[in-house]
Amino acid sequence: MYAKNSWKKYQEQDHGVEDVFAFNELYKDFITKGKTERACVKEALSLAKQAGFKSLDEYDQLKIGDKVYVVNKEKNIALFVIGERPLEEGLRILGAHIDSPRLDLKQNPLYESEGFALADTHYYGGIKKYQWVTIPLSLYGVVVKKDGEVVDIVIGEDENDPVVGISDLLIHLSATQLDKKAAKVIEGEDLDITLGNMPLNNEEKDAVKASILKLLKEKYGIEEEDFLSAEIEIVPTGKARDYGIDRSMVAGYGHDDRVCAYTSLKAILDIDTCRYTSCVILVDKEEIGSVGATGAQSLFFENTIGQLLYKMSIDSFIKTRMTLENSMMLSSDVSAGVDPLYLSVNDKKNAAYLGNGIVFNKYTGARGKSGSNDAMPEFMARLRHILDKQNIHYQTAELGKVDQGGGGTIAYILGNYNMQVIDAGIAVLNMHSPMEIVSKVDVYETYQAYKTFLKDA
Ligand code: MN
Ligand code: MN
């Protein structure tokens, strides 16, 4: 169905709206727990195991109906349900990213100034810096000690935990600051978090910092130098919440792209049989270019396909590549929802609306589609066909008006294997802010679309 409000469909079904709301309770739980890549992988793994998925290592030989997972460096997970057709005929892949914009602690973060202990950060991904000051923030991540011990740190998520934050100038003294451009009002180097204000007794120099270090030593057994091998992410504090007094939306941190990650994950967890092998891959580093060992550009995925074939008694590089070429993929990533307060940035006919179902972006990119995947119309036609048959609502959109801005996804990277790929995901308001918004009905409709894709495409 083309551009129809999806609430109406569920309002006309028995328990339709209840089903939508119930699904979103599961999703809210997932993003509340999954505030980092590692946390998302942990949560996805636990859900996969509950659904009967087993590690690839546990299989000697793969057969139809087997449910398999592979974890890469604690930051990627790939899941497969082996289909009836030979793997070389291709997979049906849902690919989403589980990294979200945030602030990372620098490697030498700690310092003291004017009686405060502070920590330097370097922001990750595209953010409007002024959105990240004067809000409660949590510290979330790992410190790896020289002996290899991995210390998990979560401060701020339990309601009895303290929170941290970034200060901003009081309005009374902001005459100079308010004359600056919005991009410069808060500078990257000023996104420093406040850790404490109480000096260590009998300490002369940097006594507040010393007190923080003592506390870290006591609670986590870590030294200042251990930050050299740490990955601490500063993320907005608190649970995902219902948004709007009608509870029709979800407010939370990290919908981009954990909302597509969760709906993709849930789609494969709820599948038992499929014609072509189903796959969900959750990747890291999308917000900074999909680079590195855990990003979509990594050979991890290709290697994993090679391993699957190997466990089907096929040991062939060429067949690995042909398997990928014969595959189809939805690049499960969010799209920019139309904001009623900022209508001028969209071409209304080609914009995504909250409540109208899954969004297809044939292309993203910026300045003349640059950097985009630009999907084949033949592929889009096939998707229209299978979705219409199931009465699943979808809409098509561009990322704003031509020359207004733009963005990228992982679509083109998997497209390099010569497979069919299109961006398909959920419309988001306030994208990349500490409080992003999605429509509950889009979350549910996208889950339905992903499941249909895995089964019918
Ligand atoms: Mn994204
Ligand atoms: Mn993004």
Side-chain angles (χ1 to χ4, degrees):
M1 287 293 151
Y2 185 66
K4 283 191 178 165
N5 191 284
S6 304
W7 284 113
K8 286 176 192 152
K9 181 173 96 176
Y10 290 101
Q11 282 159 349
E12 282 159 18
Q13 291 175 7
D14 289 344
H15 310 296
V17 174
E18 279 171 52
D19 290 346
V20 170
F21 276 50
F23 186 89
N24 277 275
E25 290 305 305
L26 301 173
Y27 169 56
K28 276 157 52 187
D29 188 53
F30 180 82
I31 44 163
T32 295
K33 290 176 179 161
K35 292 211 178 171
T36 66
E37 309 77 26
R38 285 172 190 255
C40 284
V41 166
K42 216 181 242 178
E43 196 52 26
L45 183 58
S46 146
L47 294 172
K49 284 180 177 169
Q50 283 168 40
F53 281 73
K54 290 197 281 181
S55 167
L56 182 60
D57 304 334
E58 294 179 53
Y59 291 97
D60 293 324
Q61 195 71 18
L62 287 169
K63 56 176 197 315
I64 295 166
D66 281 345
K67 297 182 171 188
V68 191
Y69 69 79
V70 182
V71 171
N72 180 34
K73 297 178 171 58
E74 319 297 329
K75 292 184 175 187
N76 299 154
I77 184 168
L79 304 109
F80 303 89
V81 176
I82 307 300
E84 291 153 12
R85 302 300 307 165
L87 193 62
E88 309 100 279
E89 290 184 16
L91 299 95
R92 300 295 176 264
I93 304 163
L94 299 168
H97 67 93
I98 47 176
D99 59 317
S100 297
R102 59 172 187 260
L103 313 172
D104 286 338
L105 279 197
K106 287 189 185 180
Q107 280 194 291
N108 281 309
L110 302 179
Y111 71 96
E112 178 164 338
S113 177
E114 318 309 317
F116 291 98
L118 297 115
D120 254 305
T121 68
H122 194 142
Y123 62 95
Y124 173 96
I127 60 167
K128 288 168 128 177
K129 296 172 198 107
Y130 64 78
Q131 293 177 334
W132 291 73
V133 298
T134 68
I135 57 168
L137 298 170
S138 299
L139 295 164
Y140 219 126
V142 295
V143 178
V144 186
K145 299 209 270 187
K146 269 201 285 190
D147 64 2
E149 187 197 344
V150 179
V151 182
D152 272 300
I153 291 184
V154 182
I155 302 172
E157 289 301 295
D158 186 284
E159 61 177 2
N160 296 312
D161 276 0
V163 295
V164 295
I166 300 161
S167 55
D168 188 14
L169 203 50
L170 64 169
I171 181 70
H172 315 69
L173 299 179
S174 293
T176 309
Q177 186 196 33
L178 292 178
D179 279 339
K180 293 181 184 172
K181 281 170 65 176
K184 296 273 181 191
V185 165
I186 304 291
E187 303 262 7
E189 205 53 75
D190 293 333
L191 290 172
D192 296 357
I193 58 164
T194 303
L195 295 176
N197 185 224
M198 178 167 59
L200 188 64
N201 200 13
N202 296 326
E203 186 79 22
E204 292 290 306
K205 194 172 169 285
D206 289 350
V208 180
K209 181 182 153 187
S211 163
I212 294 293
L213 282 169
K214 180 164 177 274
L215 190 148
L216 291 173
K217 176 78 180 169
E218 281 166 8
K219 187 144 191 230
Y220 301 101
I222 56 176
E223 315 273 350
E224 183 169 15
E225 257 189 40
D226 290 327
F227 281 105
L228 293 177
S229 48
E231 201 168 68
I232 304 290
E233 306 181 6
I234 318 299
V235 298
T237 300
K239 296 178 173 178
R241 305 275 294 265
D242 286 347
Y243 190 68
I245 60 175
D246 61 358
R247 299 183 179 272
S248 58
M249 296 164 277
V250 177
Y253 161 66
H255 287 316
D256 177 9
D257 182 33
R258 292 164 188 152
V259 71
C260 297
Y262 181 72
T263 43
S264 296
L265 174 68
K266 197 75 174 79
I268 198 166
L269 297 185
D270 292 349
I271 272 183
D272 279 316
T273 56
C274 43
R275 194 166 148 74
Y276 296 95
T277 293
S278 294
C279 168
V280 167
I281 166 102
L282 304 183
V283 295
D284 178 26
K285 301 279 186 277
E286 192 276 342
E287 297 295 355
I288 57 167
S290 297
V291 289
T294 56
Q297 299 192 45
S298 164
L299 289 182
F300 161 66
F301 187 56
E302 181 181 331
N303 292 348
T304 301
I305 300 300
Q307 281 181 299
L308 289 186
L309 285 165
Y310 190 71
K311 295 216 170 174
M312 294 167 174
S313 308
I314 298 167
D315 182 3
S316 161
F317 175 73
I318 293 297
K319 284 202 170 162
T320 301
R321 283 290 175 88
M322 295 320 288
T323 301
L324 286 160
E325 176 165 313
N326 292 333
S327 294
M328 292 180 193
M329 173 172 175
L330 298 185
S331 162
S332 310
D333 206 346
V334 296
S335 195
V338 170
D339 184 331
L341 305 184
Y342 298 95
L343 291 175
S344 66
V345 299
N346 292 298
D347 162 19
K348 280 192 157 194
K349 308 186 298 309
N350 292 288
Y353 290 83
L354 265 68
N356 283 1
I358 187 170
V359 186
F360 287 101
N361 283 100
K362 185 175 183 294
Y363 43 85
T364 53
R367 296 172 300 279
K369 298 188 179 182
S370 177
S372 83
N373 168 61
D374 209 351
M376 298 282 289
E378 287 85 349
F379 185 40
M380 184 64 212
R382 184 175 182 138
L383 296 169
R384 287 173 59 204
H385 178 69
I386 61 167
L387 294 175
D388 280 344
K389 264 207 316 214
Q390 302 291 333
N391 188 29
I392 289 169
H393 289 192
Y394 58 84
Q395 48 186 329
T396 60
E398 295 194 12
L399 201 51
K401 272 184 183 165
V402 176
D403 287 340
Q404 185 59 234
T409 66
I410 65 169
Y412 75 96
I413 299 163
L414 281 298
N416 287 343
Y417 285 110
N418 199 22
M419 72 171 76
Q420 298 280 13
V421 187
I422 189 167
D423 282 304
I426 292 164
V428 174
L429 287 189
N430 304 350
M431 200 190 290
H432 287 201
S433 79
M435 186 182 77
E436 298 180 323
I437 308 297
V438 292
S439 158
K440 285 184 179 177
V441 79
D442 294 337
V443 174
Y444 194 64
E445 199 67 352
T446 299
Y447 157 70
Q448 301 294 346
Y450 288 161
K451 229 170 28 173
T452 300
F453 170 76
L454 293 180
K455 285 187 87 82
D456 299 343

